[in-house]
Structure formats: C-alpha cells, structure tokens
Amino acid sequence: MEREEGETTTIGVVPPAPAKSATPINSLSFWEVTAASGVVLGFLLGLVCVYLTMPQSDYSFLKLPRNLEDLQILRDNLEIYTSDYTVQVLVGYCLVYVFMQTFMIPGTVFMSLLAGALFGVVKGMALVVSTATAGASSCYFLSKLIGRPLLFSLWPDKLVFFQDQVARRKDRLLNYMLFLRLTPTLPNTFINVASPIVDVPYHIFFLATFIGLIPAAFVTVRAGLALGELKSLGDLYDFSSMATLCLIGVLSVTPTLISKKKA
C-alpha cells in the first residue's frame, strides 16, 4: 500500500541524541586516583613545612576542633604564636581550611569562629571568605575530576533535582546560585561537589560563592570575638545575627538583580 503525500515514516531515521545528563561512572582510572592522592599529599607537605618553621614546643593542642571547648583551647594556645609567627599561623590556617573544604570535612564553622577570635572582624572576614572560596573552588575542580561516582552513590536524587534546576535557569544562573548560597535550600558541601557535574560554569560558581559566603562569614567571625561567651553553636543565630544575615544577604543579591533588570 502506497503512503499518502505528507505521511512520514520513522524507518531509517536516526533519533535525536538525548540531552546531556550526569550519567554515573562506576570506577576511577589510575590517573584520577593518582591526581587525587597528589592533592592530599600536597596539603600534608604544606602543613609539615609550616610545622617545621615553628619553634619547638608542645603542639598537642593542634587538632581539628569538634566542639566549642576544643576551639577555645586551640584559640588560647594559638594566640601565643599569632603575633610572633603571623605568617606561619596564617598559612597553616589557610591550608587546613582549604583542605577541609576540598574534602568535605565538617567543622569549618569552628575555623570561621577561630578567625574572628585571632584576627578580628575585618581581617577575619577577609581570611574566611578568601579561604572558603579557595576551598570551594578546589572541591569544584577535584569533583570535576573524580566526583561523579561519589555523587551518584551519596546523593542521586538530590543530584537529579539540582541538574534540573540548573537546566531551567541557564539565563539567570548567577541569581540561582546566589540564592542557594544565601539560603539552606541545598548544603554548601553538595553545591561545591555537584556544580561541575551539572555543568555550572566556574566563573558563575566563583562569583556566587565569593558573594554568597559573606553574610554567614560575618556572623560567625563576629561571634568569634566573644568565643568564651558562646554556650553552643545555636547562640550564633540570635535575632540580631539573623537580622544582620538577612540584610547583608539582600545587599549581596541586589546588584545582580539590578543588572538583570537593566539588561
């Protein structure tokens, strides 16, 4: 039977290629594992070099703080060295913070409190925002190299949700990434490791991270000035702190909204 004019057939027609998606990879290559191991060794070597330039002393207090008591002990001991060995303390602080961010080690809020206690609000904020952005960037590139299997094993549903939201907001992606950084919609750790997998461009990731981390950094660094008065991490978010956080958040997003409106 002959096909009428205008009728089409699917025989022999190649279907369109499916849209790019974050498909899982089950294993890592030798070179990927080697690169990740090299990053770890690089951080450890840097910390060893800092340690060797410090004076001989009892450094049993040097450990990642897990509670406010650990943090207060660390602050009390580091204050002794901060004035005479400022460079070493700064380098060691930055290496530890970036390492924690890179490998998603919890506890960076204690490091932010420590920055306020040791360096004050202005210097502490500059230190926290810069190191947090560097750590998030390091996590971004490491995840781009080896993060896909980890994501699909830990957060498969959340990854699909994030990928869908990014795809819908390609034209206003910076606004969306700022929104994520300023709200608890998605954990910052997940944003860091998932962004390269769902094709968030690095320049957008960087800007959203740098601007979006400012409000929380201000609250925690300022609280570090009165570290001895804190009873729990819940004390960080009193009414005054939350009001300040919201205000700075609005001010952070406003320039992007204005530029988008003009465009």
Side-chain angles (χ1 to χ4, degrees):
M1 180 177 179
E2 294 184 357
R3 188 171 60 251
E4 295 180 356
E5 184 178 355
E7 185 179 345
T8 60
T9 181
T10 57
I11 298 176
V13 177
V14 178
K20 184 179 180 181
S21 61
T23 53
I25 297 177
N26 296 324
S27 61
L28 299 174
S29 69
F30 169 79
W31 294 112
E32 289 171 337
V33 174
T34 301
S37 301
V39 173
V40 175
L41 291 176
F43 279 112
L44 294 178
L45 180 61
L47 289 173
V48 169
C49 291
V50 171
Y51 177 80
L52 292 177
T53 60
M54 295 291 285
Q56 291 186 354
S57 181
D58 179 15
Y59 292 109
S60 59
F61 63 88
L62 285 177
K63 62 178 182 179
L64 294 180
R66 294 303 179 191
N67 51 55
L68 290 176
E69 183 180 356
D70 289 345
L71 181 60
Q72 289 164 358
I73 293 173
L74 184 61
R75 185 274 313 269
D76 293 341
N77 284 276
L78 284 180
E79 280 182 335
I80 301 173
Y81 301 99
T82 300
S83 58
D84 295 331
Y85 297 92
T86 305
V87 174
Q88 288 91 333
V89 172
L90 279 173
V91 173
Y93 178 94
C94 292
L95 284 173
V96 172
Y97 202 120
V98 173
F99 180 82
M100 293 176 70
Q101 286 276 73
T102 300
F103 294 98
M104 301 178 290
I105 300 173
T108 52
V109 63
F110 294 115
M111 298 297 292
S112 298
L113 287 167
L114 181 63
L118 292 178
F119 303 107
V121 174
V122 177
K123 293 180 180 179
M125 269 199 66
L127 184 61
V128 168
V129 173
S130 59
T131 51
T133 303
S137 299
S138 178
C139 183
Y140 176 99
F141 288 113
L142 186 63
S143 177
K144 192 171 186 177
L145 178 65
I146 64 170
R148 196 177 296 266
L150 177 65
L151 277 166
F152 274 94
S153 63
L154 294 179
W155 303 297
D157 296 335
K158 194 175 294 183
L159 181 63
V160 171
F161 168 80
F162 188 31
Q163 184 181 31
D164 179 64
Q165 295 301 309
V166 168
R168 292 182 180 185
R169 293 171 170 82
K170 285 293 186 182
D171 295 334
R172 293 179 294 175
L173 192 53
L174 179 58
N175 297 70
Y176 178 62
M177 294 299 292
L178 273 172
F179 170 78
L180 292 181
R181 288 298 191 189
L182 295 166
T183 63
T185 306
L186 290 172
N188 278 328
T189 298
F190 174 80
I191 296 171
N192 294 343
V193 73
S195 291
I197 307 302
V198 299
D199 297 326
V200 175
Y202 175 68
H203 68 280
I204 291 179
F205 175 86
F206 175 86
L207 287 175
T209 301
F210 185 84
I211 298 172
L213 292 179
I214 291 175
F218 176 80
V219 171
T220 51
V221 168
R222 190 185 65 169
L225 296 177
L227 183 59
E229 300 176 9
L230 292 176
K231 303 301 181 183
S232 69
L233 291 180
D235 295 340
L236 290 174
Y237 303 105
D238 56 14
F239 177 79
S240 175
S241 297
M242 290 302 296
T244 303
L245 190 64
C246 291
L247 177 61
I248 298 178
V250 170
L251 293 176
S252 299
V253 178
T254 298
T256 303
L257 297 178
I258 293 176
S259 62
K260 179 64 180 179
K261 185 176 181 180
K262 289 182 179 179

